[in-house]
Amino acid sequence: MTACAIEDGTTHAEGSAEGSGSAEATGTGEPSEPEPDPGDPGAGGAGAGGAGAAAAVGGAADAKSAPGDGVPARTAPAEVGPARPGRAQAGPAETVLPCFTLTADGAYGARLTAAPGTVEAGAGADTAWFAERWTLDGPEPYAVPLPTNQPEEADSQVLPLADGRVLIRRRVAERHTFSLLYPTGPGTGELLLGAVESDELTLLPPSPDGACVYALSVGEYSTALWRVAGGARGPEHLADLPGRCSGGGWLDRAGRLLALDREPAGGGPVKAVAVDLGRGAEMTPLLQIAPESNDRLLLADPDSGLLLIRSDAPGHDRLGWGVLGSCLPVRFPECLRLPDCAVEPFAVQPGQMLMPESCAVALRIDGAAGSWVGVWRPAGRRLHQLAAPGGWLAGSGVWSRDGVLRLPYADGATACAVALLEMPEEVEPVEGPGCGESGTQPSAAVAPPPVCRPVPLGQAPLVGRTAPG
């Protein structure tokens, strides 16, 4: 595969009503054996114990125009409250195709959206797509359409940068082209970055530095890692990583330590690994709960070290949590198991230094009734299921440092809005017969977190250790 760069390739397109274009932190632990207590089915890994919670409110704001920066969208109040399990809301929340992507700090979002008058449902042949940027860090959210001279394909990917520009990846025959889109008065500016020749190429989640964009191209025996934006000159091939890599998460605030899920080239269990971009993409193990288990990293919080993990070490796929560098095992809370529903974490509360067990975690829950929101703390007693606002861009959202969850949504009456949710207050369950089967047991002992000596990522003892005493 090859890459070519286009320097100083700036084009401008006038927007129009019909224009739409737009560490195994080295672990060698024993096989996981969940305990009968649903609150503590630990497997070799990392964990902690600790704190409480808060109350659920729905809301949004009215958005007004920002001169010279696109078309604002008016927001209407969104009533968001507790939902019955399996019945989150009267109508299923909207799942946008293609997806909505937020910057690491939640200041900007980007998605492809259908031009007015085209067929949006199902991304049919008559649908004309264009890129759209959302500004979310001001007092009022607003959307900026970024159409170019021709419609975008539904399989294009968009990703916002910290400076407000939007990167778009387009498939052109056997090549993937990259451009930066930005508003320029009544039109859209486009800076061409270059192209990569590859059968398949996928953008990784936004880097915490807000400037660089990375992508993976999976081959039969190795995976090519590319920096497609933020480099010196167009797309840069950084390394060929052994095995087939997927996923993607960031372990630090500098955008240097990248976590990937790696399957060996000859087949075998999937294990999360860490890639150090500051040392020539050096790869080190990150997770190994059991030798033959598939251990994937879903989400990581750089501030607290909280890791959200999916593993079949307990015997089948379970959602669990651990702490990088902790001497406690990975926990697989029973309350995160929902029959006939898929549960996926998408946001962790930042700023909780040395308090991973007190981080609020937001989860997307998909069931027959649609998509709704779950909120949970590792030290909490239960998973709280809440109705999502109508038109929620499902699976997207960001926590503030003080524990308010911001959920972007767009429904028929509102083109761009944010609903606010707070963590419901925890209530101690009444002890009694049968409470062990209620699914509301603590996922960790309510106790002060142990003081562990910080260790380098590659030496973090995620497995094979037990808590003192």
Side-chain angles (χ1 to χ4, degrees):
M1 64 187 74
T2 59
C4 60
I6 302 174
E7 299 184 15
D8 300 325
T10 305
T11 63
H12 297 275
E14 294 298 323
S16 66
E18 53 184 284
S20 58
S22 347
E24 243 168 278
T26 318
T28 56
E30 297 300 318
S32 170
E33 296 183 2
E35 296 295 330
D37 179 2
D40 188 17
V57 182
D62 284 322
K64 298 181 181 178
S65 173
D69 198 18
V71 178
R74 224 181 136 69
T75 61
E79 294 298 327
V80 181
R84 299 177 186 174
R87 296 189 60 183
Q89 52 196 36
E94 176 189 6
T95 300
V96 173
L97 179 69
C99 66
F100 183 80
T101 305
L102 288 165
T103 54
D105 61 1
Y108 292 103
R111 66 168 180 165
L112 291 181
T113 190
T118 65
V119 180
E120 185 171 1
D126 295 332
T127 304
W129 299 95
F130 65 91
E132 182 179 72
R133 188 198 74 193
W134 288 31
T135 300
L136 303 171
D137 61 344
E140 299 171 337
Y142 60 92
V144 179
L146 296 172
T148 55
N149 287 327
Q150 62 183 14
E152 306 294 349
E153 297 293 333
D155 63 351
S156 299
Q157 283 184 281
V158 291
L159 188 147
L161 302 183
D163 60 6
R165 294 182 296 178
V166 173
L167 180 129
I168 184 167
R169 177 200 63 82
R170 302 180 177 108
R171 179 69 180 260
V172 181
E174 299 302 318
R175 305 167 69 222
H176 299 264
T177 65
F178 302 92
S179 297
L180 293 176
L181 305 179
Y182 52 93
T184 56
T188 300
E190 181 171 358
L191 174 64
L192 307 178
L193 298 179
V196 172
E197 290 187 10
S198 176
D199 291 336
E200 298 294 334
L201 187 139
T202 305
L203 298 180
L204 290 173
S207 170
D209 67 10
C212 296
V213 180
Y214 298 88
L216 295 179
S217 177
V218 180
E220 186 175 358
Y221 301 106
S222 64
T223 301
L225 175 64
W226 293 84
R227 178 165 54 209
V228 298
R233 55 174 73 86
E236 302 174 67
H237 178 253
L238 300 181
D240 284 315
L241 306 175
R244 300 173 60 85
C245 297
S246 59
W250 297 96
L251 301 172
D252 65 339
R253 290 292 180 194
R256 170 174 170 171
L257 296 177
L258 172 65
L260 297 171
D261 299 327
R262 174 184 173 270
E263 179 186 0
V270 176
K271 302 290 185 184
V273 297
V275 178
D276 190 340
L277 302 180
R279 300 183 64 178
E282 178 183 71
M283 180 185 290
T284 57
L286 179 63
L287 286 176
Q288 178 170 297
I289 297 178
E292 298 303 320
S293 61
N294 293 291
D295 308 320
R296 294 176 171 87
L297 180 66
L298 304 180
L299 209 56
D301 175 50
D303 295 336
S304 65
L306 178 66
L307 307 177
L308 279 300
I309 296 160
R310 188 177 299 282
S311 174
D312 58 8
H316 53 277
D317 265 346
R318 293 283 297 272
L319 186 62
W321 68 281
V323 181
L324 188 64
S326 172
C327 54
L328 292 178
V330 166
R331 307 295 178 105
F332 295 94
E334 189 69 16
C335 65
L336 297 184
R337 296 181 65 187
L338 299 182
D340 303 321
C341 291
V343 182
E344 193 81 9
F346 63 87
V348 179
Q349 181 184 359
Q352 306 300 296
M353 296 292 189
L354 304 180
M355 296 189 298
E357 75 291 337
S358 66
C359 290
V361 178
L363 305 104
R364 170 179 174 171
I365 305 174
D366 292 304
S371 300
W372 61 99
V373 182
V375 291
W376 163 81
R377 293 183 195 272
R381 296 281 175 173
R382 59 179 295 189
L383 170 67
H384 301 273
Q385 299 183 53
L386 308 173
W392 176 42
L393 307 181
S396 63
V398 62
W399 287 99
S400 67
R401 288 178 173 263
D402 55 359
V404 177
L405 179 61
R406 297 167 56 84
L407 299 175
Y409 70 94
D411 56 24
T414 306
C416 172
V418 173
L420 306 180
L421 286 178
E422 292 184 1
M423 192 81 176
E425 185 176 357
E426 293 282 358
V427 177
E428 289 292 326
V430 178
E431 298 293 338
C435 67
E437 303 298 328
S438 67
T440 62
Q441 293 73 32
S443 56
V446 180
V451 178
C452 296
R453 176 179 59 86
V455 295
L457 177 66
Q459 302 173 22
L462 288 186
V463 299
R465 304 291 290 272
T466 57

